[in-house]
């Protein structure tokens, strides 16, 4: 069941893409998404909040409206359900006031690959990749046509590190990074900014879902610090923002190493080491 609620003052916006755009935030009921909602409301953006927990979003919307005087809509949707996801896609396609999508909703599950059920990993992939992809696909053509706007995709450093042992979750986040980098190359020339944000361990409820005690983990970033840093990257129009990484040169070196291989992939014959003697 999808419920659409309107909280807050409605405003006349004849040409919102040239004024302050509305921001649609998925996974806005708690954690990183709720912090994004708060920061964008503080900057004066109207919001559309998306998640399943209506009561939490209502409470957040009431507080942000009171503190910032912005208009806030709420869409209650389970983004793993095609019909509810379609409601959000339609909103992104049709509502010209929305100029920024924060594709943040995501989850993680505990256990190793052989312990995780097939249905659970499929649901994880549906939320972390398919929903994020469909929402980006719903808004991108409109933003490209307007020559303005932004898509923020929430990845994770786990997507760079199979060694961390969260294989399917990491694979979904590798997808998010690749998609974001590719979309950035396609859409930046059309005036649309695409950012991948890669947090490491951040204090949110996601750790309850994987069965880990966040208080037993070290080097945990506070959610406000994470989002403030991600917004510094957003304001600088960085394609990839990794708030916990101290040395940005390491990321640049990784990209340079990857790009140095590109000309070497096109060859008529297999590499010498794979050639068999006729
Ligand atoms: N916290 C970390 O350490 C960390 C690190 C790297 C990346 N991330 C990424 O950051 C993003 C936000 O995570 P978080 O840490 O803030 O987690 P969180 O506190 O568990 O919040 C997840 C958000 O996603 C929503 N959500 C979950 N399942 C959903 C569904 N089926 N349909 C719609 N909304 C759904 C939740 O709302 P409802 O339950 O109300 O639906 C909630 O608002 C995720 O993409 C996550 O992978 C987090």
């Amino acid at each position: 069941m999808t419920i659409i609620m309107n909280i807050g003052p409605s405003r006349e916006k004849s040409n919102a893409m040239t004024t302050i755009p509305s921001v649609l935030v998925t996974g806005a009921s708690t954690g990183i998404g709720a912090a994004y909602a708060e920061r964008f409301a503080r900057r004066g953006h109207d919001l559309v909040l998306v998640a399943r927990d209506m009561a939490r979003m209502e409470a957040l919307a009431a507080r942000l409206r009171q503190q910032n005087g912005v208009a806030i809509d709420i869409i209650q949707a389970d983004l793993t359900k095609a019909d509810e996801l379609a409601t959000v896609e339609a909103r992104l396609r049709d509502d010209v006031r929305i100029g920024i999508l924060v594709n943040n909703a995501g989850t993680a599950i505990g256990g190793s690959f052989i312990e995780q059920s097939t249905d659970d990993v499929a649901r994880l992939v549906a939320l972390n990749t398919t929903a994020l992809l469909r929402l980006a696909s719903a808004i991108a053509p409109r933003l490209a046509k307007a020559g303005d706007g932004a898509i923020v995709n929430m990845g994770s450093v786990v997507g760079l590190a199979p060694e961390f042992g969260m294989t399917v979750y990491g694979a979904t986040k590798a997808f998010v990074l690749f998609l974001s980098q590719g979309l950035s190359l396609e859409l930046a020339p059309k005036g649309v900014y695409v950012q991948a944000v890669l947090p490491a361990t951040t204090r949110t409820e996601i750790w309850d879902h994987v069965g880990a005690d966040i208080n037993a983990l070290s080097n945990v970033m506070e959610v406000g610090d994470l989002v403030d840093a991600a917004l510094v990257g957003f304001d600088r129009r960085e394609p990839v923002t990794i708030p916990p990484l101290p040395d940005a040169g390491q990321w640049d070196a990784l990209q340079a190493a990857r790009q140095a291989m590109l000309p070497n992939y096109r060859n008529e014959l297999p590499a010498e080491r794979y050639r068999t003697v006729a």
Side-chain angles (χ1 to χ4, degrees):
M1 171 84 174
T2 302
I3 299 171
I4 302 182
M5 268 194 61
N6 206 326
I7 295 180
S10 62
R11 291 188 191 169
E12 280 300 314
K13 286 193 177 164
S14 53
N15 190 357
M17 296 300 281
T18 57
T19 60
I20 299 182
S22 298
V23 183
L24 186 144
V25 183
T26 68
S29 61
T30 185
I32 293 169
Y36 262 106
E38 184 176 54
R39 298 310 196 258
F40 274 117
R42 232 190 257 171
R43 291 178 172 206
H45 295 265
D46 291 344
L47 301 174
V48 182
L49 309 181
V50 179
R52 293 167 302 179
D53 191 322
M54 196 66 185
R56 280 180 136 181
M57 288 190 288
E58 280 175 350
L60 177 64
R63 179 166 65 81
L64 297 184
R65 176 180 175 270
Q66 191 195 24
Q67 290 174 346
N68 304 286
V70 294
I72 301 179
D73 284 357
I74 298 174
I75 304 178
Q76 184 186 37
D78 182 337
L79 298 175
T80 64
K81 296 190 172 152
D83 57 332
E84 301 186 22
L85 178 57
T87 304
V88 187
E89 291 170 32
R91 181 66 181 263
L92 287 168
R93 261 192 301 270
D94 300 339
D95 186 346
V96 297
R97 294 169 302 175
I98 299 173
I100 301 173
L101 164 64
V102 181
N103 239 335
N104 161 79
T107 195
I109 51 177
S112 67
F113 186 59
I114 57 172
E115 292 164 344
Q116 293 166 340
S117 81
T118 307
D119 285 345
D120 282 350
V121 289
R123 249 192 312 276
L124 181 67
V125 170
L127 179 64
N128 289 11
T129 66
T130 306
L132 177 139
L133 169 69
R134 291 194 65 103
L135 297 179
S137 176
I139 195 173
R142 181 170 63 74
L143 298 184
K145 197 169 169 209
D148 196 10
I151 300 172
V152 178
N153 293 323
M154 197 53 56
S156 167
V157 295
V158 179
L160 295 168
E163 294 80 3
F164 287 176
M166 299 172 74
T167 304
V168 180
Y169 176 79
T172 68
K173 296 305 184 180
F175 174 93
V176 171
L177 175 61
F178 190 109
L179 181 77
S180 304
Q181 290 182 295
L183 291 184
S184 178
L185 290 171
E186 287 194 42
L187 297 177
K190 300 182 189 303
V192 181
Y193 168 52
V194 180
Q195 181 192 30
V197 177
L198 277 56
T201 310
T202 309
R203 192 181 309 280
T204 71
E205 292 169 12
I206 202 170
W207 294 97
D208 298 340
H209 304 311
V210 299
D213 177 5
I214 188 80
N215 296 314
L217 302 176
S218 54
N219 301 318
V220 177
M221 191 173 288
E222 298 301 327
V223 71
D225 291 339
L226 181 273
V227 173
D228 286 338
L231 285 170
V232 171
F234 179 89
D235 292 337
R236 288 182 188 153
R237 295 300 189 246
E238 279 184 357
V240 179
T241 299
I242 312 178
L245 185 69
D247 179 3
Q250 286 191 312
W251 172 253
D252 295 339
L254 179 63
Q255 294 312 296
R258 189 180 58 70
Q259 285 166 350
M261 291 168 72
L262 301 184
N264 302 333
Y265 293 138
R266 294 169 66 103
N267 286 298
E268 210 171 302
L269 293 175
E272 181 75 42
R273 68 190 177 283
Y274 299 121
R275 286 187 210 163
T276 51
V277 187

